[in-house]
Amino acid sequence: MHELGITQNLLNLAVQYAEPAGARRITALHLVIGELSSVVDDSVRFYWEFLSQGTIAQGAALHFERIPATFECRDCGAVFPRNANFMCPACRSDRVQVKQGEEFYLKSIEVEE
Ligand SMILES: [Zn+2]
């Protein structure tokens, strides 16, 4: 369960940004999560509940923005969504790489001053 460490980092990051800005409370976090990311949003929510207690982020809402997976062909450069066989639909090459969908990051926070 690596979500515990991830959630702790998110909390630290949010507080690090909010406190110098004079925020009294953090009300929401906007997170970006890729379709291929191994991060489970329900687990992040679960850990957030108790990790945020007693901090200025207590009770903050978590919003997850989902990024669909796309792949790029190294041979012809075609970009395409995930398919069953991970082959390029344009040239049938299997030399494909993930272009997007593995991300997980804190995009923005909402605060009360
Ligand atoms: Zn191709």
Side-chain angles (χ1 to χ4, degrees):
M1 272 300 188
H2 65 317
E3 277 86 356
L4 176 59
I6 285 169
T7 308
Q8 183 67 59
N9 288 342
L10 281 175
L11 177 61
N12 294 347
L13 197 61
V15 171
Q16 251 172 46
Y17 275 108
E19 278 184 344
R24 207 160 44 80
R25 227 162 69 77
I26 299 172
T27 54
L29 274 75
H30 293 267
L31 304 160
V32 173
I33 184 168
E35 185 187 343
L36 302 174
S37 164
S38 60
V39 177
V40 178
D41 53 355
D42 278 348
S43 297
V44 173
R45 282 185 210 281
F46 173 79
Y47 289 122
W48 181 258
E49 278 289 301
F50 74 87
L51 286 176
S52 66
Q53 277 177 32
T55 73
I56 63 168
Q58 183 170 349
L62 300 181
H63 299 284
F64 291 89
E65 180 187 333
R66 296 258 172 201
I67 303 280
T70 56
F71 295 81
E72 184 169 19
C73 175
R74 290 184 209 208
D75 287 327
C76 77
V79 174
F80 55 95
R82 178 159 63 159
N83 55 31
N85 52 15
F86 294 97
M87 274 169 59
C88 173
C91 74
R92 312 301 295 166
S93 167
D94 59 2
R95 298 192 342 115
V96 302
Q97 62 189 357
V98 174
K99 184 174 171 66
Q100 117 184 338
E102 290 179 316
E103 42 291 269
F104 180 75
Y105 60 89
L106 178 59
K107 187 179 177 188
S108 62
I109 62 176
E110 289 171 33
V111 300
E112 269 175 23
E113 289 178 16

